[in-house]
Structures are given as C-alpha cells and as structure tokens.
Amino acid sequence: MNFIKTSRVALMALARNKMRSFLTALGIIIGVGAVIAMVSIGQGAKADVEKRFDEMGSNLLFVRPGSMSFRGRHGGGGSYQTMKEADAQAILDNCDAVTYVSPNVNTRSQVIYQNKNWNSSIYGVGHSYPIIRNWDIQDGQFFSEQQVKAGQKVCILGSEVYENLFEGAPAIGQVVRIKRIPFRVLGVMEAKGETGFMSRDDVIFIPFKTAMMRLLGVDSIQSIDVSAASLDSTAEAQAQIEEVLRIRHKIAPGAEDDFNVRNMSDIAESASESTRILTILLGGIASIYLLVGGIGIMNIMLVSVTERIREIGIRMSVGAKERDILLQFLTEAIVLSLLGGILGIFLGIGSAQLISRLSPMQTVVLPSSIALAFLFSGSVGVFFGFYPARKASKLDPIDALRYE
Amino acid sequence: MQNNVLIELNDIKKIYTVGESEVHALKGVSYSIRKGDMVAIMGPSGSGKSTMMNIIGCLDKPTAGRYILEGTEVSTFDKNQLARIRNKQIGFVFQTFNLLARTSALENTELPLLYSDVNAKTAKEMAMKSLESVGLKGRETHKTNQLSGGERQRVAIARALVNSPAVILADEPTGNLDTKTGDEIMKIFTQLNESEGITIILVTHDPEVAEFARRSIHIRDGLIERIEENGR
C-alpha cells in the first residue's frame, strides 16, 4: 500500500469519527497555541529591549572610573576620582573614531518651581548629550558649548519633571530652583517612556561644569559618554580611548586600568540574553502542554485500537499486512497532530495578537517558532502514535475477527 | 486431474496450547477440492470446522501437514505472505457480515483493492462491477447502516469477489438472516458457482444450507467423519 492510499484510509477513518478526532487533536491545538503565544511574549520582550537600546544609539560607549583599591580594600566601581573633564576633551581630540563626548556627573535633588516641588535626578552633561543619546528636544533648545564652558545656570527638563512642576504651562524662560540655586529653563526633552520600573523622563539636565561647581563641589567627573563614528568603529574607538587614558593617567604597561570602557552592543547583548532565557522558560512551560496533548493522542489512539479491533480483523482478512495496519494507525496519529498543529498555530497567532492588544506586553510571532511548533507536533504524532499502532498491527486476524 | 485440484490438504493437524493442556483441533485431515466445486464443511461446534476454515483461508497455519493452494505450498508461509494470499486468492463472507461501519457499500467493496497494487480509478470500476453482479447496482453510496441484512451480505459477497479470488470461503453466511433472505443469498452463491465457475466453500452446521453444495464434508472431533454427495 502506498503513501497516498494510506493517507486516504487514515483520513477516511478520521472523518468517520469527526467529534472524537477533534477532541483528540484539541490537546495538540492548545499545546501548539500555548507554545506560540508564550514564545511570542518572550520574543516581544526581546524586540522591545533591542528597540530601546537602538534608540539610545548602539554606537555608544561608556567610560567610567575603575574600582580603587587602597591597602587591599577595593572600592566599588567608579570609586576613583581620577576622571577629569580634560580626559573627555583629550578623547575627543585624539581619537579619530570618536565623534562626540559628554562628561557626566549626576546627583539627586529637590527641584522647586513656585509652590511646587519634585525630587528628581540631576544630570550634569555636555552639550553633545542629545546627539550621543539620540534624544530629541521637544520644546526650546539644549544648552550650547559656550553655556557649558561658562558654567551657566540653565537647565532642560525631562517631560515628567515638566508635567509635575508646570502641569502643561509654558516653561521656557521660567526659573526653577535646585538646592536654592536658580536655573533658567531652556527647553523640555521629548518623552522616552519607562525602562522597567524607572522613568527615563524624571530627569533634569544642566551643564556638567555648573553641576560640578555649584551642586557637587568636585573637580572630577563620574563618567564620559562617547559616540563612535559608526557602529563598526566602536571597537576601534574603545581601543583608542583606552590608549589615550592610559597615557594620561600614566598607567605602566601591565598595570591595572583605573577606568573601564564598555560599549553599548555588549550591554545590549547581555540584556537580550536575559530575554532569551525568558523565552526559553516560557516556551518550556508551554511545551509541557504539548507533551500532555501528545499523551492525550496516545490515550485516544489506544482506546480507538481496542474499539476497532473488528475493523482491524476485517482489514487483515482481506489482505492488510502488519505494516499496512501499523502505517494506517500511525498516519492517523500524525494527521491528527498535524491538523492540531495547524489549528494551534492560528490559535497561537490569535492569542499573541490579543495579548499585545489587551496588555502592555509586546508580542512577536517569528516564522521560525511556527515552523518549530509544526515540526514538534508532527514528532509528537509519530512518537505517541507508534505504540498504539504497533499494538494494532500485532493483533491476530482470527481473534480480531471474532472480537465482540 | 492434477491440474484441476485447487486445494490439497495433506494430513493437516492443528494443536492449540491452552495454559498447560493441548487441544487437538484437527487430528490429520486429508482432502482435495477441485476447481469449480462447491462444498460444505459441516459439523457441530467444537468439531474443528472453524479451524479448518481458518487454515484453508490462510488466517492460520497448520501445526503439521501440507496445504497446497493452486499448486503452491502455503503451509510454510509467513504472516506477510499469508496476507498476500488472502488478498489475491481468497474471499471471505462471514456470518456477521464484517463490513466497516459508517462506510459506503462501494468503499467496503474496494477494501481488498486498497491492499493490492490496483490504482484508485480501476479499483472503483472493479468494485462497481462486483456490486452489480450481486444485484446492488444503484446502492453503491449507501452506508452500511442504511442497508438491510441481506443487502449487507451481498456487499460482503461483492467484496469477496472483487479481486477475482480462487475460492470464496463463506462462514455461516445465512446465520444472521431470515429464511427467505438466506435462500436468496444461497442462490447468489450457487449462481456464482454454476455460471462463473467460482469455487465456494461453505462452513455451516445447517443441513438446509449444506444442501446447496455439491457435497458435504462432515467433521467430528478433528477428523473427517464422512463425505456426503448431495446429487447436484
């Protein structure tokens, strides 16, 4: 008996009992649907993370002071106070793979406008910060290089701070007070949304020099944001920065750096690694449904074999070989799980869309996860269909014919 | 004469092992059936007539002895070879019809062809012809449960005929039918035997059914007791 005939026999047998066939496939339908929906949540989270890093600019590098050790005691990262404004200037001047730098310091403080106040992060940054971070100004303008150099008391508000202090009223030209020092508002940043639990818009930007002198009273900076000329030149930029800083900080060859440089793509990679684990976890849980669905198929096929012993006897008496019976029942199981798989794919895509519509979670259904689910459901059919099919094929024709 | 022998049974023995005891169902049966013959195998239950039918029908193998079907010794065949013999050379008709439920008369008739190398189109034609020969033209699409007992048995006969087998084995073919319908079925058998020359073996305990055959082989306790010519 060839493949087409076997499939026809199997399809006819399934069609003879439509309700049972559907119920049998239901386990696979739900299993495949769950796998696709769950994995789409994981993939959605991954795409979301990647998008956020992309927005920040993937040619971004961070330079931070390293950890200081004094008589065997290590401080935390950034505990050196050796990073100076001049280091940032030197990086910009001497590294040809670097296009922009921004020296950064930050602190937290209460911000007061008239009778309102708000506690916010104060970022002291350079004038190139919006370009480096790929962050546009919604209203007004960012401070200029001259304003930074002069240490002017000007500020740009993050959209959340603006909402809380001004409640939609015009802010440009108004004066807010940070630690009793008046700052003139130059502009409002575009809203960026949340990262995890943190709002990126709850922030105020002021020139880093002003922050160092007026708010912190320090002469060292906390970090430098660097923008490489392109995505491909980040590695080159990193090497150049390290070289410049080692010379400036007079670090002997072989000695430990008092700074470290990290690039955005490394950070993005580790972040998407964690969403990958999330995907595997969700997919793994959903696979259990698929397994249960497979056991369901085996169960019903076993019942079906017992119920159809007479039919098997009839088929054998007219010349069906063991192999024919085995293939028929195996094909029935495979057809059931593949049909279940196809319906499950639709169910999965549908639920993924429903999830992204009804909840803040983003979902992405990849063609590869559809292919995988389909392949997996097929193998479930083969695996769980084999035992009942073998049982059917091993029946003795005389006993089968006489079975009541 | 040798050419005319369809079935040759040579000292056929069949022993079943039930638990620790042995049951001798056939104790050495030798008999030959000619091509075109119509015989009845008779005997009370437990006589071994069912075992004999199973062996002739290649559903079972003898423990000892030789069974030669159309010149080929089939008593040494394995399961797959026996399945092939059943498919090509033997047609079964059972007391309980043994048709597939919720399946059309045509599909039931086609069943043996599914397991041979006939293509779908030819199979359909052959099945239609076979159904026509048992008087079921126009009933091809009826499902098993829409047919009367007599019609079901006709479908079973059509199924047995479809592969043009060497012999049709009918096991109590009228057992589940009323007398009138039973007679009609028996007339189909005699007609197939007389006009088409098909060899038919009836297995029955009913003397009225056996009368349709040319001769009756009486089995008792695993041996041939006597052979009775019915004068037909």
Side-chain angles (χ1 to χ4, degrees):
Chain A
M1 199 157 68
N2 62 30
F3 175 72
I4 297 167
K5 273 187 183 172
T6 315
S7 317
R8 223 183 97 216
V9 168
L11 279 175
M12 266 157 49
L14 292 177
R16 243 177 266 142
N17 226 323
K18 291 188 187 68
M19 190 61 183
R20 184 176 65 193
S21 304
F22 172 73
L23 287 175
T24 311
L26 197 59
I28 297 291
I29 295 173
I30 293 173
V32 169
V35 168
I36 288 182
M38 294 291 224
V39 169
S40 79
I41 293 174
Q43 293 293 340
K46 184 164 174 259
D48 196 40
V49 166
E50 277 166 4
K51 198 179 116 228
R52 274 164 207 269
F53 277 105
D54 246 22
E55 276 173 6
M56 266 193 238
S58 40
N59 53 346
L60 190 60
L61 296 112
F62 299 105
V63 185
R64 292 189 70 201
S67 89
M68 179 172 64
S69 62
F70 180 70
R71 289 182 183 167
R73 262 180 58 185
H74 278 269
S79 50
Y80 271 119
Q81 298 195 341
T82 51
M83 196 77 82
K84 306 289 182 205
E85 183 200 340
D87 287 331
Q89 195 57 47
I91 289 168
L92 186 62
D93 293 344
N94 299 320
C95 306
D96 55 10
V98 169
T99 44
Y100 298 105
V101 297
S102 166
N104 298 340
V105 293
N106 64 67
T107 182
R108 278 196 85 85
S109 174
Q110 212 70 14
V111 186
I112 301 163
Y113 173 68
Q114 290 173 352
N115 60 346
K116 297 189 188 67
N117 71 90
W118 186 254
N119 189 286
S120 185
S121 292
I122 316 294
Y123 279 30
V125 298
H127 66 283
S128 307
Y129 188 86
I131 303 165
I132 296 172
R133 289 295 181 118
N134 206 3
W135 194 347
D136 289 338
I137 298 154
Q138 188 181 300
D139 215 5
Q141 57 185 21
F142 212 75
F143 39 75
S144 65
E145 192 174 357
Q146 286 71 34
Q147 285 172 311
V148 174
K149 280 198 171 134
Q152 282 190 14
K153 293 174 280 183
V154 290
C155 69
I156 320 292
L157 304 180
S159 63
E160 194 176 324
V161 177
Y162 167 72
E163 282 303 323
N164 281 297
L165 291 182
F166 289 89
E167 290 170 345
I172 295 170
Q174 301 296 317
V175 172
V176 296
R177 287 170 187 278
I178 305 170
K179 291 194 175 164
R180 291 186 191 155
I181 302 160
F183 281 81
R184 187 161 51 86
V185 178
L186 290 182
V188 177
M189 297 303 281
E190 205 177 64
K192 274 250 175 182
E194 289 176 15
T195 315
F197 292 107
M198 265 166 48
S199 167
R200 287 182 289 176
D201 299 317
D202 185 9
V203 65
I204 295 174
F205 294 106
I206 60 175
F208 70 93
K209 274 205 161 155
T210 318
M212 283 161 73
M213 294 183 309
R214 307 261 175 181
L215 298 184
L216 294 163
V218 294
D219 63 349
S220 62
I221 54 174
Q222 290 166 353
S223 67
I224 306 170
D225 281 12
V226 179
S227 181
S230 70
L231 187 58
D232 298 330
S233 59
T234 47
E236 196 189 339
Q238 187 164 353
Q240 289 173 350
I241 293 165
E242 280 166 3
E243 196 190 332
V244 166
L245 289 182
R246 282 178 77 90
I247 292 168
R248 285 187 59 83
H249 292 186
K250 299 187 178 67
I251 294 160
E256 210 179 321
D257 287 345
D258 65 346
F259 61 90
N260 62 64
V261 184
R262 297 181 71 192
N263 67 55
M264 201 60 193
S265 32
D266 290 347
I267 298 167
E269 221 159 78
S270 67
S272 57
E273 173 66 18
S274 66
T275 56
R276 202 173 66 88
I277 291 167
L278 178 77
T279 306
I280 292 170
L281 198 72
L282 289 172
I285 293 167
S287 306
I288 295 172
Y289 287 112
L290 204 52
L291 193 73
V292 172
I295 294 169
I297 283 201
M298 176 150 79
N299 191 9
I300 301 287
M301 288 308 289
L302 277 174
V303 172
S304 162
V305 166
T306 314
E307 208 176 79
R308 288 156 67 190
I309 286 180
R310 209 40 188 271
E311 176 195 328
I312 296 162
I314 295 167
R315 289 181 184 277
M316 284 177 162
S317 76
V318 299
K321 298 185 183 73
E322 264 184 38
R323 197 174 139 266
D324 297 327
I325 301 293
L326 180 86
L327 283 180
Q328 181 192 335
F329 278 83
L330 198 55
T331 310
E332 281 183 28
I334 294 169
V335 166
L336 273 183
S337 35
L338 285 186
L339 284 179
I342 292 169
L343 290 176
I345 286 167
F346 286 117
L347 180 75
I349 293 172
S351 354
Q353 277 172 355
L354 209 66
I355 289 167
S356 59
R357 200 159 302 168
L358 299 182
S359 78
M361 278 185 285
Q362 219 190 320
T363 57
V364 175
V365 179
L366 293 177
S368 65
S369 64
I370 292 176
L372 200 73
F374 194 67
L375 210 72
F376 199 45
S377 65
S379 348
V380 160
V382 176
F383 187 78
F384 290 105
F386 189 76
Y387 173 66
R390 199 181 142 75
K391 212 178 153 194
S393 72
K394 290 290 175 198
L395 286 171
D396 181 67
I398 299 169
D399 294 341
L401 275 172
R402 221 175 277 152
Y403 186 84
E404 294 297 326
Chain B
M1 181 64 199
Q2 191 62 36
N3 279 351
N4 260 345
V5 175
L6 178 75
I7 289 168
E8 191 184 332
L9 300 175
N10 212 325
D11 198 21
I12 296 287
K13 289 177 181 160
K14 182 69 189 180
I15 302 164
Y16 294 109
T17 316
V18 183
E20 291 198 352
S21 62
E22 287 186 341
V23 178
H24 293 255
L26 292 176
K27 296 172 182 166
V29 170
S30 299
Y31 193 71
S32 295
I33 297 169
R34 280 182 300 109
K35 243 175 223 166
D37 206 348
M38 183 161 175
V39 300
I41 299 171
M42 293 194 68
S45 49
S47 60
K49 67 177 193 300
S50 292
T51 308
M52 194 161 154
M53 189 203 100
N54 289 341
I55 287 171
I56 294 173
C58 289
L59 287 166
D60 208 350
K61 287 190 330 185
T63 315
R66 281 153 50 93
Y67 168 24
I68 295 155
L69 176 67
E70 286 193 303
T72 311
E73 183 174 351
V74 295
S75 32
T76 56
F77 275 18
D78 68 16
K79 279 183 172 181
N80 282 340
Q81 286 171 309
L82 288 177
R84 199 173 161 73
I85 296 284
R86 290 198 296 271
N87 186 242
K88 302 279 178 213
Q89 287 165 273
I90 291 163
F92 286 101
V93 177
F94 300 96
Q95 177 178 1
T96 51
F97 320 131
N98 277 343
L99 300 175
L100 296 184
R102 294 182 294 273
T103 306
S104 73
L106 184 68
E107 283 167 337
N108 265 301
T109 311
E110 279 179 328
L111 198 61
L113 302 173
L114 269 180
Y115 301 101
S116 63
D117 39 21
V118 178
N119 70 43
K121 191 164 161 276
T122 322
K124 197 175 171 188
E125 284 166 8
M126 287 166 80
M128 295 288 256
K129 226 173 83 187
S130 197
L131 281 168
E132 199 181 331
S133 73
V134 295
L136 283 179
K137 198 177 162 69
R139 311 283 269 169
E140 294 89 353
T141 55
H142 285 58
K143 301 267 168 81
T144 310
N145 48 322
Q146 297 168 319
L147 297 170
S148 69
E151 284 171 326
R152 288 183 202 189
Q153 199 59 301
R154 282 167 198 244
V155 175
I157 296 170
R159 184 181 66 193
L161 283 172
V162 77
N163 245 351
S164 326
V167 57
I168 288 185
L169 277 167
D171 184 9
E172 302 279 11
T174 60
N176 275 17
L177 302 172
D178 59 60
T179 321
K180 187 171 160 283
T181 322
D183 275 0
E184 281 169 22
I185 293 297
M186 288 319 297
K187 279 194 187 109
I188 292 175
F189 280 123
T190 42
Q191 196 203 334
L192 286 169
N193 177 252
E194 280 164 11
S195 53
E196 318 265 333
I198 296 167
T199 314
I200 292 169
I201 300 173
L202 300 166
V203 180
T204 183
H205 66 273
D206 183 351
E208 281 181 34
V209 170
E211 267 178 30
F212 286 90
R214 291 172 204 266
R215 65 186 57 82
S216 307
I217 305 162
H218 290 265
I219 308 260
R220 182 176 284 271
D221 296 330
L223 286 168
I224 296 179
E225 191 185 35
R226 65 196 159 88
I227 294 160
E228 197 178 350
E229 296 291 329
N230 290 339
R232 270 186 65 239

